[in-house]
mmCIF file of all heavy atoms in Angstrom:
data_model
loop_
_atom_site.group_PDB
_atom_site.id
_atom_site.type_symbol
_atom_site.label_atom_id
_atom_site.label_comp_id
_atom_site.label_asym_id
_atom_site.label_seq_id
_atom_site.Cartn_x
_atom_site.Cartn_y
_atom_site.Cartn_z
ATOM 1 N N GLU A 39 -9.452 11.733 6.523
ATOM 2 C CA GLU A 39 -8.957 10.913 7.648
ATOM 3 C C GLU A 39 -7.445 10.990 7.731
ATOM 4 O O GLU A 39 -6.873 11.133 8.801
ATOM 5 C CB GLU A 39 -9.311 9.440 7.416
ATOM 6 C CG GLU A 39 -10.640 9.005 7.960
ATOM 7 C CD GLU A 39 -10.962 7.581 7.499
ATOM 8 O OE1 GLU A 39 -10.028 6.803 7.238
ATOM 9 O OE2 GLU A 39 -12.160 7.280 7.379
ATOM 10 N N ARG A 40 -6.803 10.880 6.549
ATOM 11 C CA ARG A 40 -5.350 10.864 6.523
ATOM 12 C C ARG A 40 -4.797 12.203 7.005
ATOM 13 O O ARG A 40 -3.842 12.248 7.773
ATOM 14 C CB ARG A 40 -4.858 10.559 5.110
ATOM 15 C CG ARG A 40 -3.370 10.316 5.048
ATOM 16 C CD ARG A 40 -2.875 10.133 3.637
ATOM 17 N NE ARG A 40 -3.410 8.944 3.008
ATOM 18 C CZ ARG A 40 -4.193 8.956 1.942
ATOM 19 N NH1 ARG A 40 -4.560 10.097 1.396
ATOM 20 N NH2 ARG A 40 -4.627 7.848 1.431
ATOM 21 N N ALA A 41 -5.439 13.319 6.576
ATOM 22 C CA ALA A 41 -4.965 14.639 6.959
ATOM 23 C C ALA A 41 -5.073 14.832 8.476
ATOM 24 O O ALA A 41 -4.157 15.372 9.101
ATOM 25 C CB ALA A 41 -5.760 15.717 6.220
ATOM 26 N N SER A 42 -6.174 14.363 9.064
ATOM 27 C CA SER A 42 -6.292 14.584 10.509
ATOM 28 C C SER A 42 -5.352 13.655 11.277
ATOM 29 O O SER A 42 -4.827 14.018 12.314
ATOM 30 C CB SER A 42 -7.743 14.444 10.985
ATOM 31 O OG SER A 42 -8.174 13.135 10.822
ATOM 32 N N ARG A 43 -5.102 12.457 10.711
ATOM 33 C CA ARG A 43 -4.134 11.553 11.335
ATOM 34 C C ARG A 43 -2.744 12.196 11.333
ATOM 35 O O ARG A 43 -2.022 12.181 12.313
ATOM 36 C CB ARG A 43 -4.108 10.255 10.532
ATOM 37 C CG ARG A 43 -3.644 9.043 11.291
ATOM 38 C CD ARG A 43 -3.937 7.781 10.507
ATOM 39 N NE ARG A 43 -3.359 7.804 9.174
ATOM 40 C CZ ARG A 43 -3.980 7.338 8.089
ATOM 41 N NH1 ARG A 43 -5.177 6.835 8.168
ATOM 42 N NH2 ARG A 43 -3.391 7.382 6.908
ATOM 43 N N ARG A 44 -2.402 12.817 10.189
ATOM 44 C CA ARG A 44 -1.102 13.478 10.077
ATOM 45 C C ARG A 44 -0.988 14.648 11.055
ATOM 46 O O ARG A 44 0.042 14.847 11.691
ATOM 47 C CB ARG A 44 -0.902 14.022 8.660
ATOM 48 C CG ARG A 44 -0.264 13.029 7.731
ATOM 49 C CD ARG A 44 -0.045 13.631 6.363
ATOM 50 N NE ARG A 44 0.696 12.690 5.539
ATOM 51 C CZ ARG A 44 1.998 12.747 5.330
ATOM 52 N NH1 ARG A 44 2.714 13.719 5.855
ATOM 53 N NH2 ARG A 44 2.607 11.849 4.592
ATOM 54 N N GLU A 45 -2.065 15.429 11.171
ATOM 55 C CA GLU A 45 -2.023 16.600 12.041
ATOM 56 C C GLU A 45 -1.818 16.174 13.492
ATOM 57 O O GLU A 45 -1.028 16.765 14.227
ATOM 58 C CB GLU A 45 -3.312 17.423 11.874
ATOM 59 C CG GLU A 45 -3.309 18.760 12.597
ATOM 60 C CD GLU A 45 -2.018 19.568 12.389
ATOM 61 O OE1 GLU A 45 -1.451 19.545 11.280
ATOM 62 O OE2 GLU A 45 -1.568 20.205 13.369
ATOM 63 N N LEU A 46 -2.524 15.113 13.891
ATOM 64 C CA LEU A 46 -2.347 14.581 15.254
ATOM 65 C C LEU A 46 -0.908 14.150 15.489
ATOM 66 O O LEU A 46 -0.319 14.454 16.534
ATOM 67 C CB LEU A 46 -3.269 13.376 15.472
ATOM 68 C CG LEU A 46 -4.676 13.682 15.955
ATOM 69 C CD1 LEU A 46 -5.477 12.387 16.077
ATOM 70 C CD2 LEU A 46 -4.618 14.402 17.300
ATOM 71 N N ALA A 47 -0.336 13.454 14.499
ATOM 72 C CA ALA A 47 1.041 12.967 14.633
ATOM 73 C C ALA A 47 2.014 14.137 14.717
ATOM 74 O O ALA A 47 2.975 14.111 15.483
ATOM 75 C CB ALA A 47 1.392 12.057 13.466
ATOM 76 N N ARG A 48 1.731 15.199 13.940
ATOM 77 C CA ARG A 48 2.571 16.410 13.985
ATOM 78 C C ARG A 48 2.564 17.018 15.377
ATOM 79 O O ARG A 48 3.599 17.373 15.923
ATOM 80 C CB ARG A 48 2.023 17.458 13.005
ATOM 81 C CG ARG A 48 2.670 17.508 11.653
ATOM 82 C CD ARG A 48 1.900 18.468 10.751
ATOM 83 N NE ARG A 48 1.942 19.844 11.246
ATOM 84 C CZ ARG A 48 2.973 20.662 11.060
ATOM 85 N NH1 ARG A 48 4.018 20.259 10.388
ATOM 86 N NH2 ARG A 48 2.954 21.896 11.532
ATOM 87 N N GLN A 49 1.347 17.125 15.923
ATOM 88 C CA GLN A 49 1.226 17.730 17.254
ATOM 89 C C GLN A 49 1.954 16.892 18.298
ATOM 90 O O GLN A 49 2.570 17.429 19.216
ATOM 91 C CB GLN A 49 -0.246 17.887 17.627
ATOM 92 C CG GLN A 49 -0.908 19.021 16.854
ATOM 93 C CD GLN A 49 -2.415 19.042 17.021
ATOM 94 O OE1 GLN A 49 -2.953 18.325 17.862
ATOM 95 N NE2 GLN A 49 -3.077 19.848 16.217
ATOM 96 N N ARG A 50 1.882 15.564 18.107
ATOM 97 C CA ARG A 50 2.569 14.678 19.059
ATOM 98 C C ARG A 50 4.079 14.904 18.993
ATOM 99 O O ARG A 50 4.748 14.981 20.018
ATOM 100 C CB ARG A 50 2.215 13.218 18.746
ATOM 101 C CG ARG A 50 2.182 12.359 19.988
ATOM 102 C CD ARG A 50 1.669 10.964 19.688
ATOM 103 N NE ARG A 50 0.351 10.948 19.074
ATOM 104 C CZ ARG A 50 0.037 10.305 17.955
ATOM 105 N NH1 ARG A 50 0.949 9.624 17.292
ATOM 106 N NH2 ARG A 50 -1.186 10.314 17.477
ATOM 107 N N LEU A 51 4.613 15.053 17.771
ATOM 108 C CA LEU A 51 6.058 15.259 17.628
ATOM 109 C C LEU A 51 6.483 16.592 18.259
ATOM 110 O O LEU A 51 7.528 16.680 18.894
ATOM 111 C CB LEU A 51 6.447 15.255 16.139
ATOM 112 C CG LEU A 51 6.448 13.900 15.448
ATOM 113 C CD1 LEU A 51 6.854 14.035 13.991
ATOM 114 C CD2 LEU A 51 7.402 12.943 16.165
ATOM 115 N N MET A 52 5.643 17.623 18.105
ATOM 116 C CA MET A 52 5.996 18.922 18.672
ATOM 117 C C MET A 52 5.923 18.873 20.192
ATOM 118 O O MET A 52 6.758 19.458 20.882
ATOM 119 C CB MET A 52 5.097 20.015 18.081
ATOM 120 C CG MET A 52 5.446 20.275 16.621
ATOM 121 S SD MET A 52 4.704 21.750 15.918
ATOM 122 C CE MET A 52 3.099 21.149 15.455
#
Side-chain angles (χ1 to χ4, degrees):
E39 270 172 27
R40 189 185 295 117
S42 66
R43 204 168 56 220
R44 271 182 174 261
E45 187 46 37
L46 273 178
R48 264 173 64 80
Q49 286 170 10
R50 212 173 303 128
L51 286 180
M52 289 192 276

